[in-house]
Amino acid sequence: MSGGHEAATATTAALRRQAPSRRRFPWGDVGYWAASLLFIFVSVFPLLYALSSSFKQGSALFSPTLWPEAPTFANYSGVFAEQSFAHYLLNSLFVAGSVVTLSLGLSLMAAWAFGRVEFRGRGLLLMLILSASMLPQVAVLSGMFELVRAFGLYDTLAALVIADLLLTLPFTVWVLVTFVRQLPRELEEAAAMDGVGVLTLVFRVYMPLLWPAMVATGLLAFIAAWNEFLFALTFTLSTAARTVPVAIALISTASGFELPWGKIMAASVIVTLPLVALVVLFQRRIVAGLSAGAVKG
Amino acid sequence: MPETVLQAAFPSVPRGGLAAQRVRRAWWMAAPMLLVLAAVGGWPLLRTIWFSLTDSELSRLDDYTFIGLENYVGEYGLLASTDWWHAVGNTLLFTGLSVSLETLLGLGVALLLNQPSRLRTLLRAALLVPWAIPTVVSAKMWSWMLHDQFGIVNQQLLALGLIATPLAWTADPQLALFSIVLVDVWKATPYMALLILAALQMVPVDCYEAAQVDGVPRWQVFRRITLPLILPGILVAVVFRTLDALRVFDLIYVMTSNSRDTQSMSVFVREQLIDFGLVGYGSAAATCLFFMIALLSIVAMGLMRKAFERAAA
């Protein structure tokens, strides 16, 4: 943004501040606050209700009070004792962590090639990579199933790591390419002067400079892998290789009548709160990363 | 990756060969990513299309015969299956409803977020909550809230006197798809709002300033200035969401399982492939979905190029 732009923003802000005094009643402001508060309520309420239900047990679950009358941790301890939920959490963490590391490493290398070097077929390849992100997961399901079986990876976490790369690589590449393009050209020339290789340039010079973009894209990739359901449901069978989303979807009672909603909500809260905390903490970077992939592309 | 080789080669190349050298190095750097994408995207897709021309089954993946287009146009083929057409209809209805609602609400939320205010940070944080929640979890959370007997939604609606008897939100065939749309709108509106907000923030401030000086009413400013300028951005967001909505799986599978009333194309494919083990037939359905999305992407890209050219002119 240029200085002139900022001055213009300041003027507009000043104009806006004057505006209400000219009118008799600030209908616009009332509308803004009402709409905003309604939006905040609708966005957050389901999570709050899940949180509230996760502390209720038995018939208390069926009363709609938001504040549990007799809060209990029984659902949480139950989830860990009966479900080996800790194991599923570790599985999810391993899959998502590996996917993030691999996607970022592979994309950063490719981002130098696509962002810095002119070569024939570059535009076409970038379009192909973008179109890979439009692929429906079920369109690769049978082919991937065959591949996973052929390599003896059925019912392993490795199968999920490999399959999830299809979901993360297209956008990590695209976002990192746009960010690498914004880096000054002189960096590369200086590196060449010092006789430094491309890999060193990418991982020692670019990576520290790009860390805000890396955090944003890494977080998006983490969320994508952490939330992935279809591949995890299809390529794993035993509880040993089960991830959290599949575990939550499959929680049921032995009798098969009413679902144990208290436990489902407890499990939901456990997987969601860290994610929401991370996202709210890094909200600026995530918003920047999300829109970089879409608008600048 | 042979780093030492690259390092040794870099500084000592004669000037004429430098460009060629760089291009070769670029290919080496892009190769690992391209190979992985080809292995997890390109190859499985080709295999799926091939399987769709065979009678392959899950229990005997290697032992199949080529049957041509039998899975598509045969007597028991896809095109003659009412379940398949039902799934296509469900998917299109779901996509149309959810994307149009998300666009309208997303535009509204983006306008709220674009307003300088003390609430802005809180709004943005609230915006990211539904987006960050895993789809499986939001499906479960809403299933609980929409529970026919104990759900808070029915309890509140009954208390307010808006309904006389509890509604079976996810079990009633007339209602289930709309409940699913509701949850999808809750979950995906933030994404839409963020993309539209990015477009809004690129509108030059001088436009608003000039309009304000001339005393143009707010609604007119929005209709005549803001909307035309952000239309290409909205279009991109709509295309992204549409392509995403067409392949919906998690939400529908978790909320209503394989129920015929709400089954989407993706749910149909997985049921055929995995639950019934009909790899050939399921792959044919998957191939149809793929070509539908591919065709739509190509059309959308053409449209977007036109819209951008018009916006630039």
Side-chain angles (χ1 to χ4, degrees):
Chain A
M1 284 269 158
S2 67
H5 232 119
E6 275 159 34
T9 321
T11 326
T12 327
L15 280 173
R16 276 212 190 98
R17 247 176 272 126
Q18 283 172 2
S21 62
R22 270 189 271 126
R23 269 184 251 135
R24 265 173 305 174
F25 188 77
W27 284 113
D29 288 358
V30 172
Y32 170 80
W33 278 81
S36 300
L37 292 177
L38 179 71
F39 173 74
I40 293 171
F41 173 78
V42 172
S43 298
V44 179
F45 182 77
L47 186 59
L48 290 182
Y49 192 63
L51 195 65
S52 147
S53 299
S54 71
F55 288 110
K56 292 177 186 172
Q57 223 189 359
S59 58
L61 260 175
F62 308 138
S63 91
T65 49
L66 202 53
W67 194 258
E69 277 153 35
T72 165
F73 279 98
N75 290 320
Y76 287 90
S77 51
V79 157
F80 281 102
E82 298 157 28
Q83 291 275 330
S84 59
F85 205 69
H87 185 72
Y88 305 149
L89 277 172
L90 282 178
N91 282 349
S92 275
L93 209 60
F94 172 80
V95 171
S98 315
V99 169
V100 169
T101 316
L102 283 170
S103 318
L104 287 183
L106 291 170
S107 318
L108 198 58
M109 284 166 65
W112 173 78
F114 284 107
R116 277 281 171 246
V117 186
E118 299 269 347
F119 58 90
R120 208 184 305 157
R122 183 175 70 162
L124 184 72
L125 272 177
L126 271 173
M127 284 322 285
L128 267 179
I129 294 167
L130 182 68
S131 53
S133 70
M134 313 284 181
L135 264 185
Q137 274 175 279
V138 291
V140 295
L141 208 59
S142 43
M144 194 93 86
F145 198 93
E146 186 193 35
L147 210 64
V148 161
R149 259 200 197 164
F151 284 97
L153 294 175
Y154 182 70
D155 203 19
T156 64
L157 294 177
L160 301 185
V161 172
I162 294 167
D164 286 357
L165 286 175
L166 175 63
L167 310 179
T168 58
L169 271 180
F171 79 79
T172 51
V173 170
W174 264 77
V175 173
L176 289 184
V177 166
T178 55
F179 278 101
V180 162
R181 275 196 185 137
Q182 290 164 11
L183 290 178
R185 213 156 241 296
E186 289 77 22
L187 282 175
E188 203 176 332
E189 283 157 16
M193 288 294 212
D194 293 343
V196 161
V198 189
L199 280 177
T200 318
L201 170 77
V202 165
F203 286 108
R204 291 282 169 78
V205 182
Y206 281 4
M207 203 158 86
L209 285 171
L210 284 176
W211 86 262
M214 301 277 287
V215 168
T217 29
L219 208 56
L220 293 180
F222 187 90
I223 290 172
W226 180 265
N227 296 356
E228 200 287 321
F229 179 63
L230 179 52
F231 289 151
L233 183 70
T234 308
F235 300 144
T236 65
L237 192 65
S238 65
T239 52
R242 188 165 289 171
T243 58
V244 171
V246 179
I248 290 181
L250 294 183
I251 290 180
S252 58
T253 36
S255 62
F257 288 122
E258 192 51 64
L259 290 172
W261 287 107
K263 274 188 203 126
I264 294 176
M265 290 304 120
S268 300
V269 168
I270 296 167
V271 293
T272 303
L273 279 190
L275 224 52
V276 169
L278 269 178
V279 164
V280 170
L281 199 64
F282 288 105
Q283 50 170 308
R284 273 175 185 284
R285 299 207 190 293
I286 289 178
V287 171
L290 268 178
S291 33
V295 176
K296 286 172 194 157
Chain B
M1 179 70 19
E3 189 178 1
T4 46
V5 178
L6 290 176
Q7 265 179 341
F10 200 10
S12 57
V13 180
R15 258 198 105 61
L18 201 60
Q21 184 80 41
R22 247 174 95 78
V23 169
R24 213 170 311 137
R25 202 168 291 131
W27 278 106
W28 274 111
M29 292 292 277
M33 183 273 295
L34 292 173
L35 281 178
V36 169
L37 261 189
V40 298
W43 170 254
L45 177 67
L46 291 178
R47 286 301 286 175
T48 297
I49 296 174
W50 168 249
F51 276 135
S52 79
L53 305 172
T54 72
D55 65 350
S56 175
E57 284 180 23
L58 201 61
S59 49
R60 45 170 185 84
L61 261 184
D62 316 316
D63 173 32
Y64 53 76
T65 43
F66 180 82
I67 57 167
L69 292 174
E70 196 70 14
N71 284 325
Y72 297 89
V73 294
E75 195 184 339
Y76 300 103
L78 210 53
L79 299 185
S81 155
T82 46
D83 281 348
W84 164 249
W85 287 113
H86 205 74
V88 173
N90 284 339
T91 310
L92 293 180
L93 185 62
F94 168 84
T95 305
L97 280 177
S98 58
V99 175
S100 30
L101 282 172
E102 284 154 18
T103 310
L104 286 176
L105 290 173
L107 179 61
V109 174
L111 287 171
L112 287 181
L113 268 165
N114 202 30
Q115 209 72 16
S117 146
R118 267 175 296 166
L119 264 185
R120 207 180 195 171
T121 321
L122 195 62
L123 261 177
R124 193 171 48 196
L127 182 74
L128 290 171
V129 169
W131 174 80
I133 293 178
T135 312
V136 171
V137 170
S138 32
K140 282 290 182 194
M141 276 179 0
W142 279 94
S143 295
W144 170 227
M145 284 170 57
L146 294 172
H147 194 283
D148 48 356
Q149 291 174 59
F150 315 119
I152 189 165
V153 173
N154 270 343
Q155 277 166 350
Q156 292 303 313
L157 289 178
L158 282 170
L160 289 170
L162 290 173
I163 52 172
T165 48
L167 295 176
W169 293 98
T170 53
D172 183 343
Q174 304 281 316
L175 263 180
L177 197 65
F178 295 98
S179 306
I180 290 167
V181 167
L182 171 85
V183 181
D184 192 69
V185 168
W186 178 79
K187 170 113 182 74
T189 296
Y191 177 75
M192 206 68 158
L194 284 177
L195 292 194
I196 297 177
L197 178 66
L200 268 176
Q201 286 174 340
M202 297 208 300
V203 176
V205 190
D206 355 354
C207 287
Y208 293 130
E209 211 176 280
Q212 218 143 16
V213 169
D214 292 345
V216 181
R218 267 192 175 185
W219 167 244
Q220 288 290 323
V221 173
F222 176 72
R223 254 206 59 189
R224 305 280 160 144
I225 300 174
T226 317
L227 204 56
L229 282 172
I230 62 171
L231 207 57
I234 295 181
L235 206 62
V236 174
V238 168
V239 169
F240 276 25
R241 266 307 300 155
T242 305
L243 296 175
D244 212 32
L246 284 174
R247 52 190 176 182
V248 59
F249 176 83
D250 302 13
L251 195 58
I252 294 181
Y253 185 83
V254 176
M255 282 185 79
T256 55
S257 190
N258 282 334
S259 152
R260 287 284 168 283
D261 301 315
T262 50
Q263 196 170 52
S264 71
M265 287 153 88
S266 285
V267 176
F268 178 90
V269 170
R270 192 187 175 278
E271 187 185 34
Q272 299 297 331
L273 272 179
I274 308 297
D275 299 341
F276 301 158
L278 300 171
V279 173
Y281 189 67
S283 297
T287 307
C288 281
L289 176 60
F290 165 72
F291 278 116
M292 201 171 127
I293 287 181
L295 195 73
L296 205 73
S297 316
I298 292 167
V299 171
M301 256 180 231
L303 275 179
M304 278 200 282
R305 192 168 297 160
K306 257 189 209 148
F308 275 111
E309 274 161 12
R310 210 176 308 140

